[in-house]
């Protein structure tokens, strides 16, 4: 025991008791699907307790939360308690590359498996002679709750395993997995819950945890639960040599296994997979908060053994949090370039995913109701990399009765026009004053100045608002006629002495340079509803001239690959408005390009082809590869399917390459990609 002065030890014990109590309290809430802390905050709390015990081993009593798995099953549970055939363990965590390499150094192996850490609820399934006999929650690792009836209505969980030639069905098979709600289904699940008079879930993990404890199996069916297997427990008649072999057998028997698992053979490869998934966290169908690394060989696993709560042969690399909680102070609305009026959350500033945020989108009035958020709520927000922060939902347990509903305004906050949906079934409300609403005008100016359109570097959001509100521009039609004299009325583009500043001079230069741009960028800059870069490229690539596009029948426009009748009609309707034509005529008179010369026309070598690029290419960035495909008439897809024509594979390609090989698709390296871009598919060898 470490020597401590009595008064110091008493203080340490009080600190330990406080931390242990907090860990147990929040752990129990978490495992019952009602957490009041983000995962990252709980991890930090747990790590503090672990560090305290490492520094003062005399505090680490046998019933410390750091030695326990999960949470004890409630004595008053409505489900029966069952004992697992083999104990279910948790996982230890690392949080940076050095910690990971330290673990790899003390856990050497010729082969590791890397698996996504699914943010769901653990489940234990027992099959006897291939038939599902029992399902249970993890509980405290030894005893869980019997949820067999609920597991029977989850589509991914087979009631009877399939016999396989290479893998005879074992007499007893205990399967470990994770139950989750796919990200794409979560909003619908919450909408149904609110419609049924229930409270919304804060995130998919909470929804999955609550679902498995429903008394009525019909309610479970509504939750769209899925399951992926990630291990085995006790077995009779099945002794795989490796974890990988176990997964192959489970898949053959009809049990769902992860398509994202990959075997690697060195520490550097493990780190590479961690770094890859750090940038692709939202490619998976489920929420994930880390990467699990496992020693593949089961004999090696047994040799490494386990602690009281976690195996020594596996570790979870936890990524920085993308979800945090904060206070929703207000809900306001903003007007976009097409007149769409969007509610957004104003929050207490909070640090998440590398930056401090204080606002987040709420999309439309229906979404506010569907998420069930009230002004004054503590809310969960997520920010994935550069993506705009999004409110996921409220932490209902933290309401105190002072919260109030958001009432959508009847009139535009920028011009006072009466708001309404464009169509009866339209979820979005719009300001009809497209020609002169200051909010719409400044938003359109900001949009057309973006990199996807004219790329006018000196024209940002503040500059656009200033040009409209100061009366320098009535609309975007006169933009390319601006002079330095016009800018003297601006506050953004002038100095305190009243002369044009450096930004103003740069704006004039930018306008001169951006007149001669790609035709598709001009089409994008018009802010025609539904006509984004993909449709604009397709239209420009086929017609090569804006006058030709304007005169083309809507039926012909709709036949353009990637356009279709809705976009074609929207394009045609836009030009029926006389003031829209005035904008185009004004731009043309100012020298903005309205048609492509023969020399500027890119050969359409990829027309009708769908191509996926995965991994790193030496000669292309992700954006330039996509641009190369689209500009030649192809479709650049982000997911692999049977409809994919080619998959271009670079370094560190992941699950997309594996999926392509599984489907027997045509796979190209970078040299093959260059050949495809230049000459099309005709000169390439057929698929193997």
């Amino acid at each position: 025991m470490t020597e401590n002065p009595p008064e110091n030890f008493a203080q340490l014990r009080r600190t330990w008791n406080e931390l242990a109590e907090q860990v147990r309290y929040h752990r129990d809430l978490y495992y019952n699907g009602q957490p009041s802390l983000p995962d990252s905050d709980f991890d930090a709390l747990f790590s503090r307790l672990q560090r305290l015990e490492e520094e003062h081993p005399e505090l680490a009593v046998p019933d410390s939360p750091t030695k326990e798995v999960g949470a004890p099953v409630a004595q008053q549970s409505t489900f029966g308690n069952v004992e697992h055939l083999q104990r279910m363990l948790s996982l230890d965590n690392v949080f940076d590359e050095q910690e990971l390499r330290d673990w790899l150094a003390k856990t050497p192996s010729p082969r590791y498996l890397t698996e996504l850490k699914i943010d769901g609820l653990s489940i234990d399934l027992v099959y006897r002679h291939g038939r599902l006999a029992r399902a249970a929650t993890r509980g405290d690792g030894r005893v869980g709750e019997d949820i067999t009836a609920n597991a029977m209505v989850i589509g991914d969980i087979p009631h009877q395993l399939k016999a396989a030639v290479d893998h005879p069905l074992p007499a007893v098979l205990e399967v470990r997995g994770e139950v989750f709600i796919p990200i794409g289904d979560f909003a619908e699940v919450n909408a149904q819950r609110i419609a049924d008079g229930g409270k919304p879930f804060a995130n998919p993990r909470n929804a999955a945890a609550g679902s498995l404890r429903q008394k009525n199996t019909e309610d479970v069916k509504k939750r769209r639960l899925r399951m992926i297997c990630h291990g085995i427990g006790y077995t009779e008649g099945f002794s795989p040599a490796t974890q990988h072999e176990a997964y192959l057998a489970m898949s053959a028997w009809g049990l769902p296994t992860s398509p994202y698992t990959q075997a690697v053979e060195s520490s550097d490869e493990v780190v590479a997979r961690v770094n890859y998934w750090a940038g692709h966290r939202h490619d998976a169908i489920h929420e994930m908060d880390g990467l699990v690394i496992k020693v593949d060989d089961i004999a090696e696993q047994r040799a490494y053994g386990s602690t009281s709560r976690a195996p020594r042969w596996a570790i979870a690399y936890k990524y920085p949090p993308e979800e945090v909680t904060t206070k929703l102070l207000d809900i306001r609305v903003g007007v976009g370039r097409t007149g769409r009026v969007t509610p957004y959350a104003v929050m207490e500033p909070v640090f998440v995913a590398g930056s401090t945020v204080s606002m987040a989108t709420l999309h439309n009035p229906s979404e506010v109701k569907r998420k069930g958020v009230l002004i004054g709520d503590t809310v969960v927000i997520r920010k994935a990399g550069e993506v705009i922060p999004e409110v996921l939902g409220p932490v209902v347990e933290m309401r105190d009765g002072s919260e109030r509903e958001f009432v959508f305004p009847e009139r535009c906050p920028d011009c006072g026009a009466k708001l309404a949906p464009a169509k009866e079934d339209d979820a979005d409300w719009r300001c009809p004053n497209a020609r002169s609403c200051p909010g719409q005008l400044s938003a359109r100016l900001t949009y057309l100045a973006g990199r996807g359109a004219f790329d006018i570097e000196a024209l940002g959001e503040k500059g656009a608002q200033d040009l409209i509100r100061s009366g320098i521009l009535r609309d975007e039609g006169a933009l390319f006629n601006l002079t330095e004299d016009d800018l003297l009325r601006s506050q953004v583009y002038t100095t305190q002495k009243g002369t044009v500043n450096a930004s103003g001079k740069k704006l004039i230069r930018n306008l001169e340079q951006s007149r001669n741009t790609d035709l598709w960028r001009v089409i994008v800059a018009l802010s025609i509803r539904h006509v984004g870069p993909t449709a604009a490229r397709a239209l420009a690539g086929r017609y090569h001239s804006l006058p030709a596009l304007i005169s083309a029948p809507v039926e012909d426009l709709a036949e353009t690959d990637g356009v279709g009748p809705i976009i074609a009609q929207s394009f045609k309707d836009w030009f029926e408005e006389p003031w829209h034509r005035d904008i185009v005529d004004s731009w043309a008179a100012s020298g903005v390009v309205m048609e492509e010369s023969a020399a500027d026309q890119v050969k359409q070598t990829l027309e009708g082809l769908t191509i996926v690029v995965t991994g790193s290419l030496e000669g292309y960035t992700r954006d330039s590869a996509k641009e190369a495909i689209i500009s030649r008439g192809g479709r650049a897809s982000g997911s692999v399917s049977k409809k994919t024509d080619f998959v271009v594979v670079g370094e560190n390609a992941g699950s997309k390459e594996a999926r392509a090989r599984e489907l027997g698709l045509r796979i190209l390296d970078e040299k093959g990609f260059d050949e495809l871009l230049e000459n099309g598919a005709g000169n390439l060898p057929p698929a193997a």
Side-chain angles (χ1 to χ4, degrees):
M1 179 179 289
T2 304
E3 293 294 330
N4 287 292
E7 63 275 10
N8 186 34
F9 181 75
Q11 179 59 47
L12 288 171
R13 174 59 70 186
R14 281 194 293 273
T15 301
W16 184 92
N17 284 335
E18 289 171 4
L19 283 173
E21 185 178 348
Q22 290 181 60
V23 167
R24 289 193 184 100
Y25 172 74
H26 290 293
R27 178 196 62 190
D28 292 351
L29 287 178
Y30 176 84
Y31 285 109
N32 284 286
Q34 298 177 325
S36 60
L37 276 184
D39 288 359
S40 56
D41 289 359
F42 178 78
D43 288 341
L45 193 66
F46 192 85
S47 294
R48 282 178 60 198
L49 186 61
Q50 283 183 314
R51 285 196 302 271
L52 186 62
E53 291 180 350
E54 288 168 3
E55 293 168 4
H56 304 280
E58 66 275 15
L59 295 172
V61 295
D63 64 346
S64 168
T66 63
K67 294 178 170 59
E68 296 172 340
V69 177
V73 175
Q75 292 183 358
Q76 303 300 320
S77 172
T78 56
F79 300 94
N81 294 346
V82 294
E83 190 170 340
H84 302 307
L85 302 183
Q86 183 174 304
R87 194 173 177 217
M88 291 183 75
L89 298 176
S90 187
L91 285 170
D92 285 333
N93 301 320
V94 292
F95 298 93
D96 58 42
E97 183 178 326
Q98 188 55 56
E99 288 183 351
L100 174 61
R101 287 191 180 276
D102 289 345
W103 180 86
L104 290 165
K106 67 181 182 183
T107 319
S109 177
R111 182 182 169 102
Y112 301 96
L113 287 188
T114 59
E115 307 174 9
L116 301 194
K117 188 175 184 299
I118 304 168
D119 197 11
L121 190 78
S122 295
I123 191 170
D124 182 75
L125 307 175
V126 176
Y127 286 87
R128 297 187 183 277
H129 302 288
R131 178 162 290 279
L132 180 62
R134 191 183 74 199
T137 61
R138 178 166 61 180
D140 65 359
R142 297 184 186 278
V143 176
E145 293 175 306
D146 189 333
I147 54 166
T148 308
N150 287 347
M152 297 286 277
V153 300
I154 298 174
D156 283 345
I157 298 178
H159 299 179
Q160 175 67 51
L161 301 182
K162 298 183 296 184
V165 175
D166 297 332
H167 304 285
L169 288 175
V172 179
L173 175 69
E174 190 175 26
V175 177
R176 273 70 195 269
E178 202 81 4
V179 173
F180 62 92
I181 293 176
I183 298 169
D185 291 344
F186 177 60
E188 292 301 323
V189 169
N190 249 356
Q192 182 63 55
R193 182 169 169 81
I194 294 170
D196 292 343
K199 297 176 181 178
F201 293 111
N203 54 48
R205 197 267 167 201
N206 292 10
S211 301
L212 284 182
R213 292 184 172 86
Q214 292 293 298
K215 297 177 185 178
N216 188 340
T217 55
E218 291 301 315
D219 291 334
V220 179
K221 287 181 183 178
K222 295 178 182 179
R223 301 291 173 83
R224 308 190 188 192
L225 297 172
R226 301 284 302 276
M227 196 269 285
I228 286 178
C229 301
H230 56 59
I232 56 173
Y234 178 81
T235 63
E236 289 180 15
F238 179 51
S239 301
T242 65
Q243 191 89 21
H244 177 65
E245 183 184 331
Y247 290 158
L248 290 177
M250 285 193 284
S251 181
W253 294 327
L255 288 161
T257 55
S258 175
Y260 311 114
T261 297
Q262 185 168 327
V264 296
E265 297 178 350
S266 71
S267 296
D268 287 342
E269 286 183 87
V270 170
V271 172
R273 298 310 298 157
V274 165
N275 292 336
Y276 173 82
W277 280 108
H280 294 78
R281 289 173 67 169
H282 304 282
D283 288 1
I285 65 168
H286 51 71
E287 296 275 9
M288 56 88 75
D289 60 355
L291 196 73
V292 178
I293 300 95
K294 297 178 179 177
V295 170
D296 188 32
D297 187 277
I298 290 178
E300 287 184 34
Q301 292 181 5
R302 294 195 185 101
Y304 280 118
S306 303
T307 66
S308 61
R309 68 177 299 273
R312 292 190 178 92
W313 46 266
I315 200 75
Y317 184 101
K318 296 290 287 286
Y319 293 118
E322 290 187 317
E323 291 184 12
V324 295
T325 58
T326 188
K327 196 79 168 177
L328 177 60
L329 303 176
D330 197 5
I331 297 177
R332 300 173 188 166
V333 298
V335 186
R337 61 190 175 87
T338 61
R340 178 184 174 191
V341 179
T342 305
Y344 62 93
V346 179
M347 306 167 296
E348 287 182 354
V350 61
F351 189 80
V352 56
S355 64
T356 299
V357 299
S358 58
M359 292 187 291
T361 182
L362 285 165
H363 301 293
N364 56 53
S366 301
E367 192 74 1
V368 177
K369 286 189 176 180
R370 191 157 78 164
K371 290 180 183 294
V373 293
L374 303 176
I375 297 170
D377 265 334
T378 296
V379 294
V380 180
I381 65 166
R382 173 171 61 196
K383 180 174 179 285
E386 298 302 317
V387 176
I388 297 170
E390 177 188 12
V391 174
L392 293 183
V395 182
V396 177
E397 294 74 20
M398 297 188 70
R399 286 178 175 166
D400 59 13
S402 65
E403 299 80 13
R404 68 187 192 279
E405 283 194 31
F406 164 65
V407 179
F408 199 80
E410 294 183 356
R411 296 194 171 274
C412 174
D414 283 310
C415 70
K418 188 171 177 59
L419 304 177
K423 298 177 184 176
E424 192 174 328
D425 58 348
D426 197 343
D428 297 325
W429 284 52
R430 296 181 182 275
C431 169
N433 184 19
R435 185 170 191 178
S436 56
C437 173
Q440 292 186 59
L441 287 170
S442 57
R444 290 204 299 269
L445 275 180
T446 305
Y447 180 75
L448 70 82
R451 291 183 180 179
F454 282 117
D455 194 13
I456 305 170
E457 189 178 344
L459 182 56
E461 184 177 355
K462 288 183 179 179
Q465 291 172 350
D466 180 60
L467 292 174
I468 295 298
R469 298 184 191 280
S470 65
I472 296 172
L473 290 179
R474 191 183 68 176
D475 61 30
E476 58 266 52
L479 175 65
F480 292 94
N481 296 328
L482 282 179
T483 65
E484 287 195 20
D485 285 344
D486 293 327
L487 296 182
L488 291 175
R489 287 183 284 153
S490 163
Q491 293 183 355
V492 171
Y493 294 109
T494 54
T495 65
Q496 290 182 343
K497 295 180 179 180
T499 59
V500 175
N501 61 23
S503 294
K505 294 179 185 294
K506 184 176 182 179
L507 174 61
I508 300 301
R509 291 196 304 271
N510 286 166
L511 291 171
E512 183 63 39
Q513 295 161 356
S514 61
R515 287 181 173 90
N516 187 26
T517 190
D518 300 316
L519 176 60
W520 70 265
R521 293 178 180 274
V522 178
I523 297 171
V524 170
L526 294 173
S527 282
I528 303 171
R529 192 179 178 194
H530 303 309
V531 182
T534 301
R537 284 188 180 99
L539 291 168
R542 182 180 177 194
Y543 288 89
H544 309 298
S545 159
L546 195 55
L549 276 164
I550 295 169
S551 60
V554 69
E555 296 81 9
D556 290 355
L557 294 173
E559 290 175 0
T560 305
D561 187 39
V563 177
I566 293 176
I567 294 175
Q569 190 62 56
S570 183
F571 184 89
K572 203 69 177 174
D573 289 347
W574 193 88
F575 284 97
E576 294 298 317
E577 195 67 58
W579 68 272
H580 287 165
R581 294 280 193 122
D582 291 342
I583 290 172
V584 175
D585 292 343
S586 179
W587 285 2
S590 301
V592 175
V593 65
M594 291 290 152
E595 60 183 78
E596 295 176 336
S597 65
D600 292 333
Q601 295 174 20
V602 179
K603 195 163 56 170
Q604 299 296 285
T605 52
L606 306 183
E607 197 165 356
L609 297 178
T610 298
I611 300 157
V612 173
V613 178
T614 180
S616 303
L617 303 178
E618 284 188 13
Y620 301 87
T621 63
R622 183 179 299 183
D623 288 341
S624 68
K626 182 178 179 181
E627 172 72 25
I629 294 166
I630 294 173
S631 66
R632 289 163 176 79
R635 179 173 178 266
S637 176
S639 58
V640 175
S641 71
K642 292 178 181 178
K643 296 182 179 180
T644 304
D645 294 292
F646 293 94
V647 177
V648 180
V649 173
E651 294 227 356
N652 293 321
S655 57
K656 292 177 185 175
E657 179 184 4
R659 179 65 174 157
R661 295 191 184 281
E662 181 184 321
L663 294 174
L665 301 178
R666 299 177 73 178
I667 296 175
L668 303 176
D669 58 12
E670 187 165 351
K671 185 177 179 183
F673 183 45
D674 290 335
E675 173 69 20
L676 179 67
L677 294 174
E678 182 64 27
N679 300 310
N683 295 329
L684 291 172

